[in-house]
Amino acid sequence: MIDRPAVQDRDHKFLTRAVEEAYKGVECGDGGPFGAVVVQNDEIIMSCHNMVLKNTDPTAHAEVTAVREVRTSVFHFPLIYLLASVPCCVICAGVQIPLVIPAIYDALII
């Protein structure tokens, strides 16, 4: 049985980190207000923000950047999950489908 409040607190902590990454990306001018974290065994193993402007790469969204960074160190993608500051766009969702990431969560920055 899963303790729902504990899971919600955990996910809130990770979503908060994704939102912080979004703000960090805007503050340093790397790209739009988007952040993502990759979690494995209840620990953040990667935290990224949008890098479209910095890398002059229209595919360098936060989720895509996080997956690119983590792919060299994690070979079992079903053991990780992704949390993003906003719902995933078509590009980000398309990148995640072949990786079979079991859970993707998002928060909406207001």
Side-chain angles (χ1 to χ4, degrees):
M1 178 179 222
I2 297 174
D3 181 11
R4 276 284 165 230
V7 170
Q8 290 172 342
D9 288 346
R10 179 200 66 201
D11 291 344
H12 182 268
K13 176 180 78 170
F14 297 144
L15 286 170
T16 299
R17 179 71 178 273
V19 170
E20 290 170 354
E21 272 293 328
Y23 282 107
K24 177 181 168 185
V26 171
E27 289 170 1
C28 64
D30 289 342
F34 309 103
V37 296
V38 177
V39 175
Q40 183 177 40
N41 298 324
D42 290 335
E43 290 186 31
I44 295 174
I45 60 170
M46 186 58 58
S47 179
C48 294
H49 55 266
N50 185 297
M51 301 288 280
V52 170
L53 298 176
K54 181 177 183 179
N55 296 347
T56 59
D57 176 0
T59 67
H61 297 192
E63 300 91 334
V64 174
T65 302
V67 169
R68 285 177 180 161
E69 292 294 321
V70 84
R71 76 171 192 266
T72 58
S73 61
V74 175
F75 298 103
H76 303 289
F77 280 95
L79 301 177
I80 68 172
Y81 66 102
L82 179 72
L83 296 102
S85 59
V86 296
C88 292
C89 71
V90 174
I91 293 171
C92 297
V95 166
Q96 297 162 34
I97 290 169
L99 300 175
V100 195
I101 295 175
I104 302 166
Y105 302 94
D106 59 70
L108 185 58
I109 298 175
I110 297 176

